[in-house]
Amino acid sequence: MFSRLFLSPQNQKERVAFQNMVNVDEELIKNFQNLKSVKGLYLLLQKFHTGPASFPDYSTFRQILFNQWQDEPYESFKMAKKNGSHRTIEVPKPEIKLLQQSLNTILRGIYEPKASVHGFTIKKNIISNAQNHCGKKYVFNIDLADFFHSITQQRIRGVFMKPPYSLPSKVATAISHLCCYNDRLPQGAPTSPIISNIVCAKLDSGLRLLAKENNCFYTRYADDITFSTTRKNFPTDLGVIYGGGTQDIKIGDKLASILAENGFTVNAAKTRIQINTLRQEVTGLTVNTKVNVSRDYIRHVRAILHDWELNGYVKANSNHWSHCSKKHLRHGNIDDVLGGKLAFIGQVRGNEDLLYKKLLQKYAGLIVNEMARDLALKFDNKLYELWSGVIDQYLEQAVIDYVANENITNEDIKNGFEELKKLKPINGRDYKQRQDPDYNQVGVPVAYTFLYLPRKIMAATAILTHYFGQKNSRIPYNILDIGSGTNAVSIAIGLFLFTDKININLTALEPSHYMRHFCSYQPNFSHLNISYREGMVGEWQDVLHSNYYELIFMSSVLQNSFNDQQDTWWEDRCRELYNCCKNNGTFIIVEPNAKMDLLNSLVNAMQKIGWSFKERLFLSNLLPKVSKNDELIKMQKLTDLKKEYKCDYHNYSVCNWNPNPKYNEIIYIFEK
């Protein structure tokens, strides 16, 4: 669905083929000039055929040349112009197109463009064309009327019979037949651009000489001709200015004579003279001081980006199509349109240009937003099971590496399990009598992984997919993860939600040294920059002081030791988070339902400080069957590893969800 800012494989292949042609120019020119027969032409075309489609046989080739082919050779349709009129496009049938593509490859290999020609040539484009006219007092643009159709079959035949090609009459006639439709060059055939350049060689020489005689610069991009000069007065051989408008100029006699001699007429509606006190444009680019895209072009890109960000992809795409239809413009989906326009801006202004990078970053963020939203909407049971397997394999390797490199013993792991038993209520179900574990034990991260980490990652995945499933959610470039739980949030982001199209910074606050150390054995994500910081509730100032976050994710931070804290303590903590959160930022709290008293203290303080409550929901509402079917999150690899480390004495399986609603995760979402 979404575009990439690169050439398509087909275009890349074509460019490589054309570039390689430079190495065989002499041989190709010799073979082309030595053509003596129509059969020889066919064999040369066949030699340069590429692609999976079968090449037409010689009999079909002759039928096409001599108008004996039974099928209609071209399909015609009309394409809207910006001014509301239409141009006729004539597309050859597949057999003819294959022959023309081979001829196009050959002609590109033997054609030597004049220095003034910038259209349909390798390594030249509208940018190189415009660069010739920067910083000039006058820029004079003319457009050749009905350009392709002005080039007749007879003219093409005559060009190939003369030097430097000097082909026999029958071969030149065959080429002209193959390239033409209704006795003129069709707009829509692969050969028309290169043929037009070959036929215009005499025109280019004449106009270049005329420009030199008048101290002007001359370039041609297809049918778009430009002269420019720094002279005080514009030369009358080129045009006579009779008014103050951009179109108040009459074509000079010498210029008109050269155009007429070459069979071309001028489109008066597109003839204009531009002085440097006003905006000067050449092939759509401004050239007053340097080559640049116009302000209108930038405004248009910004408008589409803003519409997409404000109204979402579907609505913005509909708005774009409606606008294009009213203006009789061709249209595509906004992701493709923006991708092309941004690539063009980068090509013109340079990839290091700050404006280009800013627009590209916004575009990339919107693209990734849509990818995340699309994935969130598809997060069903099947994907859930697949994702569980990914987590299982990922965490198995992290545990193996940690244990091996840190020389963790089975006794260390056993002690870690014993420490985490403190999370269970001491007297029945009395949650307030529960102890807080000491996480600063070397075996705790392993035990925590077996017991809780897959659940934490799945929870973070479910919550983030819900977050991105919302209308107009934004990519959080800077994320604060409080109580990272060996980095569950970053794993969810790194493995599941994002691609390498955009960089995200995540600060993970975790007080335990060994929990932070365990994270270093998890694979790195090229698109996710993670900073692990030591931080406890109430001791965040050094981390939060100079940072601003789009998303703050706080999971399982509320501890039994907070029971006696006063309202002012909670308010201070919520104010610290509020101050480090960007406007329109999001704060997501995830805690077990059993901690409702502590959670209420936090939520009350949040609202008192000014956080805007957005949503309250249960994790079981987000993950399929999470509270009904423990098998969905069974970690087989971790279970086997647990047995290998002789942890079977612990009667809990690896990371089962507790179906008791009391232990369901409750989620609060606030916005600033």
Side-chain angles (χ1 to χ4, degrees):
M1 177 180 175
F2 301 106
S3 64
R4 302 290 185 268
L5 303 182
F6 302 102
L7 287 172
S8 67
Q10 182 179 358
N11 288 340
Q12 290 177 342
K13 182 178 179 181
E14 184 178 343
R15 289 193 174 208
V16 170
F18 292 158
Q19 191 62 44
N20 290 341
M21 199 61 70
V22 175
N23 301 323
V24 294
D25 270 357
E26 296 300 326
E27 180 184 354
L28 181 58
I29 291 172
K30 183 178 179 181
N31 291 338
F32 189 76
Q33 291 176 334
N34 288 337
L35 288 174
K36 302 300 181 185
S37 65
V38 174
K39 183 64 176 287
L41 173 63
Y42 172 78
L43 293 176
L44 187 62
L45 294 174
Q46 190 178 44
K47 180 180 178 180
F48 283 89
H49 168 64
T50 59
S54 58
F55 199 68
D57 57 29
Y58 183 59
S59 175
T60 302
F61 175 65
R62 287 182 60 85
Q63 291 174 13
I64 291 171
L65 290 184
F66 301 112
N67 296 324
Q68 296 175 348
W69 203 35
Q70 294 182 353
D71 293 343
E72 180 64 28
Y74 285 77
E75 290 183 358
S76 300
F77 62 92
K78 294 187 181 297
M79 182 175 291
K81 296 182 181 181
K82 290 183 179 180
N83 60 8
S85 63
H86 294 81
R87 62 165 55 93
T88 300
I89 305 297
E90 295 155 325
V91 179
K93 290 296 181 64
E95 294 85 349
I96 300 176
K97 188 174 183 178
L98 286 172
L99 293 164
Q100 290 177 343
Q101 286 172 337
S102 291
L103 180 58
N104 181 48
T105 302
I106 293 168
L107 294 179
R108 281 182 175 268
I110 66 174
Y111 169 62
E112 296 183 18
K114 305 288 185 182
S116 55
V117 178
H118 293 263
F120 315 132
T121 59
I122 302 171
K123 296 183 179 180
K124 290 187 177 182
N125 49 40
I126 63 173
I127 300 172
S128 64
N129 182 61
Q131 285 170 342
N132 290 274
H133 305 287
C134 291
K136 305 300 191 296
K137 182 174 182 179
Y138 296 100
V139 174
F140 179 39
N141 304 99
I142 62 175
D143 186 83
L144 301 180
D146 209 14
F147 180 59
F148 282 155
H149 290 176
S150 296
I151 301 175
T152 64
Q153 182 176 331
Q154 189 62 30
R155 289 178 68 184
I156 297 170
R157 177 178 177 273
V159 166
F160 283 110
M161 289 177 63
K162 296 175 182 178
Y165 309 107
S166 304
L167 295 178
S169 174
K170 55 187 175 183
V171 177
T173 301
I175 291 175
S176 67
H177 273 292
L178 181 60
C179 296
C180 289
Y181 178 55
N182 292 333
D183 295 325
R184 80 274 193 281
L185 209 57
Q187 186 163 340
T191 43
S192 292
I194 188 66
I195 291 288
S196 70
N197 274 347
I198 290 173
V199 170
C200 286
K202 180 183 175 184
L203 172 69
D204 293 323
S205 296
L207 295 182
R208 190 178 180 210
L209 180 60
L210 178 64
K212 184 177 181 181
E213 291 172 349
N214 289 275
N215 295 322
C216 292
F217 294 86
Y218 159 72
T219 62
R220 181 178 62 83
Y221 189 93
D223 58 350
D224 197 328
I225 290 174
T226 305
F227 294 93
S228 64
T229 184
T230 56
R231 289 178 52 170
K232 182 178 180 180
N233 298 309
F234 193 73
T236 57
D237 286 347
L238 299 178
V240 179
I241 302 174
Y242 60 86
T246 59
Q247 292 180 310
D248 295 339
I249 186 168
K250 178 184 177 183
I251 300 294
D253 292 341
K254 287 191 176 182
L255 175 57
S257 176
I258 294 173
L259 294 174
E261 287 174 6
N262 286 274
F264 293 107
T265 58
V266 173
N267 182 351
K270 291 188 177 181
T271 300
R272 64 191 188 279
I273 184 80
Q274 305 168 93
I275 196 166
N276 58 2
T277 54
L278 301 173
R279 185 173 67 186
Q280 295 172 316
E281 285 191 354
V282 175
T283 47
L285 298 172
T286 59
V287 294
N288 291 70
T289 55
K290 64 178 182 179
V291 176
N292 202 352
V293 292
S294 68
R295 292 180 181 178
D296 289 342
Y297 194 92
I298 297 295
R299 288 192 191 102
H300 182 58
V301 170
R302 280 175 168 160
I304 300 177
L305 286 170
H306 178 71
D307 191 16
W308 185 351
E309 184 177 35
L310 184 66
N311 297 310
Y313 179 84
V314 175
K315 178 63 176 175
N317 202 48
S318 175
N319 292 341
H320 171 71
W321 279 55
S322 176
H323 169 78
C324 291
S325 297
K326 290 178 181 178
K327 298 288 186 178
H328 305 287
L329 301 175
R330 286 180 291 173
H331 47 73
N333 291 329
I334 55 174
D335 50 301
D336 293 323
V337 170
L338 285 171
K341 287 182 179 292
L342 287 168
F344 178 65
I345 293 172
Q347 188 179 14
V348 175
R349 297 176 64 103
N351 291 334
E352 295 303 314
D353 178 73
L354 293 179
L355 173 63
Y356 165 70
K357 291 169 76 171
K358 183 177 180 180
L359 294 173
L360 185 64
Q361 184 183 43
K362 176 170 280 193
Y363 170 74
L366 290 168
I367 286 289
V368 179
N369 256 34
E370 292 306 318
M371 294 170 66
R373 184 175 293 110
D374 187 55
L375 187 57
L377 296 174
K378 295 177 181 177
F379 197 65
D380 56 8
N381 286 354
K382 184 176 181 181
L383 184 57
Y384 177 83
E385 293 180 41
L386 176 64
W387 179 223
S388 297
V390 173
I391 296 172
D392 194 13
Q393 184 174 353
Y394 175 88
L395 292 181
E396 178 200 38
Q397 192 59 52
V399 170
I400 290 173
D401 290 344
Y402 176 72
V403 169
N405 286 280
E406 299 298 323
N407 298 316
I408 309 297
T409 66
N410 288 355
E411 187 66 23
D412 292 329
I413 301 173
K414 179 179 179 180
N415 291 337
F417 274 109
E418 290 298 325
E419 189 63 30
L420 292 181
K421 278 185 176 181
K422 294 179 180 179
L423 291 171
K424 299 290 291 181
I426 296 175
N427 300 317
R429 295 186 177 184
D430 188 355
Y431 169 77
K432 292 185 178 181
Q433 296 300 317
R434 194 187 69 164
Q435 294 178 278
D436 293 333
D438 177 12
Y439 291 98
N440 280 309
Q441 292 189 21
V442 68
V444 164
V446 179
Y448 190 88
T449 300
F450 286 137
L451 289 175
Y452 302 114
L453 186 52
R455 172 192 178 115
K456 294 291 184 183
I457 299 171
M458 292 302 298
T461 302
I463 294 165
L464 288 170
T465 52
H466 173 75
Y467 169 81
F468 283 102
Q470 304 303 302
K471 181 180 179 182
N472 298 329
S473 60
R474 291 178 173 83
I475 287 291
Y477 295 100
N478 291 295
I479 300 175
L480 177 63
D481 177 18
I482 302 173
S484 58
T486 61
N487 217 18
V489 174
S490 67
I491 294 173
I493 293 173
L495 286 179
F496 185 63
L497 284 176
F498 299 105
T499 68
D500 58 0
K501 287 184 65 64
I502 191 166
N503 288 325
I504 295 174
N505 298 307
L506 185 143
T507 302
L509 287 176
E510 170 59 64
S512 166
H513 166 77
Y514 286 111
M515 288 292 220
R516 296 196 308 274
H517 194 50
F518 176 78
C519 294
S520 65
Y521 291 97
Q522 299 169 358
N524 293 323
F525 306 108
S526 61
H527 57 293
L528 185 60
N529 305 311
I530 309 172
S531 173
Y532 302 106
R533 305 289 297 274
E534 179 179 2
M536 299 183 67
V537 176
E539 301 175 357
W540 298 338
Q541 289 85 348
D542 60 329
V543 177
L544 304 181
H545 178 67
S546 59
N547 296 287
Y548 295 93
Y549 303 95
E550 284 95 356
L551 174 63
I552 300 175
F553 199 104
M554 193 168 82
S555 176
S556 298
V557 171
L558 303 182
Q559 300 295 327
N560 192 53
S561 55
F562 298 161
N563 279 323
D564 297 329
Q565 299 293 348
Q566 302 301 310
D567 290 346
T568 54
W569 184 89
W570 292 102
E571 291 169 14
D572 288 342
R573 304 292 79 79
C574 294
R575 186 178 292 105
E576 290 170 359
L577 295 174
Y578 188 87
N579 291 337
C580 75
C581 185
K582 285 189 175 181
N583 289 334
N584 301 315
T586 302
F587 184 16
I588 300 177
I589 308 167
V590 187
E591 293 288 345
N593 195 27
K595 297 183 183 180
M596 184 56 70
D597 289 345
L598 291 173
L599 193 53
N600 285 336
S601 296
L602 177 63
V603 169
N604 291 336
M606 292 281 293
Q607 294 177 314
K608 188 173 182 179
I609 291 303
W611 286 97
S612 176
F613 172 72
K614 182 181 178 182
E615 194 172 11
R616 175 181 180 271
L617 62 159
F618 288 98
L619 187 60
S620 57
N621 301 136
L622 302 182
L623 283 178
K625 301 180 182 178
V626 69
S627 62
K628 300 178 182 178
N629 189 345
D630 292 345
E631 293 300 314
L632 277 179
I633 198 171
K634 185 176 182 180
M635 300 281 127
Q636 188 58 51
K637 290 182 179 295
L638 282 177
T639 299
D640 293 341
L641 188 62
K642 181 167 171 264
K643 294 177 182 178
E644 182 181 334
Y645 291 157
K646 300 178 181 179
C647 299
D648 287 341
Y649 70 91
H650 199 285
N651 58 8
Y652 297 143
S653 60
V654 173
C655 204
N656 271 357
W657 290 95
N658 192 325
N660 190 328
K662 181 177 180 180
Y663 295 98
N664 197 356
E665 301 283 329
I666 189 170
I667 302 158
Y668 278 89
I669 301 178
F670 289 87
E671 287 184 347
K672 179 178 177 180

